[in-house]
Amino acid sequence: MIKQAEKGRDWVVNCAAPIWFNNGIDWKQGGFYDALELTTLANGASRKRLRTATRQIYVFSEACRMGFHEGKAAVEHGLEFLYSKAQSPSGGYLSHFDLDCQPRSKDQDTYDLAFVLFSLAHSYRLLKRERERQEALLLVEHLNTHLRHPIVGFLEGSPHQEPRRQNPHMHLLEASLAWLPFDETGSFRRLADDLVSVFERHFWDPASGAIGEYFDDSLSRHWAACKVVEPGHLFEWIWLLTQYQQATGKPQSHLDQIYRFAHSSGKNIKTGLLFGELGIEGNAPGATVRLWPHAEWIRAEVSVLESASSNHTTMLEQATTALWRFLDAAPAPGLWVERHDGSRDQFILEPAPATSLYHIVGAFSALADSVAAHIPKPGYHAAPQEIQAYDVHSR
């Protein structure tokens, strides 16, 4: 694990962060570019998004913690975009913008607002400015006042659309967990508890260990469309629920079952990669898979190893090998190829989407923090929330 952590940190600090700092930020008009062309490093998109800005704030916050100290300027640049371009006078944040940062609509997306909360937490950890804490509390109030669903959980956004998804709730949990070390009011603990309860009652299928993606207005498990499962989200929930377990002391006894389903049904044996989607019975309808599930696979395996009684790293090695295939397929270090076509076993060359860097950095950060927790190194500080997972091998 030490070599993988060092390799990942080097990729972030010396390859990806410089490329995206110099080419992926619109220093003149504000915000971040949505994608970069693989050969020219030119902007490869015709829009800007709140989702990209918030994820890049996180990326450069983590890159700064890993040793790319120019990242602080990128974080401050991203916060300026949030406050001056994206923030709505009536509360919350707008999602979609033209390249000159003019808003395309007044729509708000709960998924995107979750990432605003997440980015504010990592900005606060880096900058220690009270404004980020206050903006986060205002956003929680906005979510609770305007985007709570009358039955359970949260609306998809404003305007609300169906089907309802587990995904915004998952990322709201991620954001609330990021705030727990700084949660003076208890707002984020209450939010996290509520979201885990929604997960247990609606998203997780106790019969199989699968986690549904799409639901009707009541979040019913029995609705036909909830039968879609994404292996990447199985691993992502494993990572988040183990963090919740560590932070609260509340055991998450269903984690073993989710882990078993993810491994028994989620892996494409022919390619060594994951499937992009599954049916709840484990059948895989499509052959194309994106990069991000493999980064979440790494984080899940890190959480397993942190609590395992043995040092058996086979699954982690499989996950890191899979992610590096996407990175190594790009023409230069610091970039990646986003999609793999399993039917032809080849990568699809297209602009690298900026939002995937959040997943990559999250995976390499988890590896680095795990190593730092056992072998502290000068100049690198582990995250305030250490990883402590269930022991999947001892049950």
Side-chain angles (χ1 to χ4, degrees):
M1 186 187 291
I2 294 175
K3 289 184 178 179
Q4 286 290 352
E6 291 175 347
K7 182 180 179 182
R9 180 186 174 279
D10 178 71
W11 186 91
V12 172
V13 172
N14 297 315
C15 302
I19 283 179
W20 291 86
F21 185 85
N22 291 317
N23 301 279
I25 301 176
D26 188 344
W27 294 102
K28 183 178 180 180
Q29 297 188 96
F32 300 82
Y33 295 124
D34 233 35
L36 292 181
E37 298 286 350
L38 292 179
T39 54
T40 65
L41 302 182
N43 172 34
S46 60
R47 62 179 181 178
K48 289 176 181 171
R49 292 188 296 166
L50 177 64
R51 186 173 310 176
T52 302
T54 53
R55 288 189 176 194
Q56 293 297 72
I57 289 171
Y58 161 76
V59 161
F60 283 107
S61 173
E62 282 295 277
C64 188
R65 190 167 68 94
M66 288 179 166
F68 183 75
H69 301 300
E70 297 93 329
K72 180 181 177 183
V75 171
E76 293 170 338
H77 173 85
L79 292 171
E80 175 62 23
F81 172 82
L82 292 189
Y83 300 148
S84 67
K85 307 291 186 182
Q87 198 166 38
S88 171
S90 59
Y93 296 78
L94 308 181
S95 285
H96 303 287
F97 304 84
D98 291 324
L99 288 177
D100 63 0
C101 295
Q102 292 300 308
R104 291 187 170 185
S105 73
K106 295 183 179 180
D107 293 355
Q108 296 195 27
D109 187 331
T110 302
Y111 181 104
D112 292 345
L113 297 180
F115 274 101
V116 175
L117 274 182
F118 184 66
S119 68
L120 290 172
H122 286 276
S123 300
Y124 179 79
R125 186 178 69 179
L126 177 68
L127 304 175
K128 296 296 189 293
R129 302 191 319 194
E130 187 60 24
R131 179 173 184 180
E132 279 65 63
R133 188 205 304 269
Q134 295 305 316
E135 295 289 354
L137 291 171
L138 287 172
L139 183 50
V140 170
E141 181 180 359
H142 176 76
L143 286 161
N144 285 329
T145 302
H146 299 287
L147 290 169
R148 278 280 182 182
H149 193 279
I151 299 175
V152 64
F154 288 88
L155 300 167
E156 287 293 304
S158 177
H160 176 61
Q161 296 179 344
E162 292 188 17
R164 295 183 68 189
R165 299 172 297 159
Q166 66 79 20
N167 210 0
H169 298 81
M170 181 183 71
H171 287 296
L172 282 171
L173 175 60
E174 179 182 39
S176 64
L177 291 172
W179 272 108
L180 284 187
F182 319 111
D183 186 19
E184 295 181 350
T185 67
S187 297
F188 297 102
R189 172 60 190 272
R190 289 190 292 273
L191 179 58
D193 289 344
D194 178 53
L195 291 162
V196 170
S197 176
V198 172
F199 166 83
E200 292 172 342
R201 291 183 289 120
H202 296 276
F203 303 149
W204 168 59
D205 176 34
S208 65
I211 299 169
E213 289 291 329
Y214 305 104
F215 299 84
D216 66 3
D217 202 47
S218 66
L219 294 185
S220 171
R221 282 196 188 113
H222 304 293
W223 192 50
C226 81
K227 305 304 182 183
V228 175
V229 177
E230 295 188 19
H233 285 151
L234 300 177
F235 287 119
E236 200 162 0
W237 273 107
I238 289 169
W239 166 257
L240 293 174
L241 289 170
T242 55
Q243 284 198 317
Y244 175 79
Q245 178 177 268
Q246 187 276 334
T248 65
K250 293 186 175 182
Q252 301 297 298
S253 59
H254 38 272
L255 286 169
D256 282 347
Q257 188 188 26
I258 300 169
Y259 184 85
R260 287 195 298 270
F261 181 85
H263 273 281
S264 64
S265 300
K267 295 194 292 187
N268 186 334
I269 303 302
K270 293 181 180 180
T271 65
L273 304 177
L274 299 176
F275 290 113
E277 283 189 355
L278 301 171
I280 202 164
E281 298 83 8
N283 57 303
T288 300
V289 65
R290 293 177 60 191
L291 172 150
W292 70 264
H294 305 87
E296 299 308 327
W297 183 10
I298 289 174
R299 294 208 297 180
E301 298 300 346
V302 168
S303 69
V304 170
L305 278 172
E306 280 293 305
S307 65
S309 57
S310 71
N311 293 321
H312 192 61
T313 61
T314 301
M315 295 302 178
L316 177 61
E317 290 167 2
Q318 288 181 9
T320 53
T321 297
L323 178 61
W324 277 105
R325 286 179 62 187
F326 286 85
L327 305 185
D328 290 339
L335 298 171
W336 54 89
V337 175
E338 180 65 17
R339 294 187 297 154
H340 179 270
D341 181 353
S343 65
R344 295 180 292 174
D345 196 14
Q346 67 181 38
F347 290 97
I348 302 169
L349 296 179
E350 57 193 347
T355 50
S356 292
L357 193 51
Y358 142 82
H359 291 284
I360 302 168
V361 170
F364 290 151
S365 175
L367 280 168
D369 282 348
S370 182
V371 169
H374 295 88
I375 310 174
K377 295 188 177 184
Y380 185 85
H381 304 285
Q385 285 179 278
E386 299 296 343
I387 305 163
Q388 181 178 334
Y390 57 102
D391 185 352
V392 73
H393 301 292
S394 66
R395 296 181 180 165

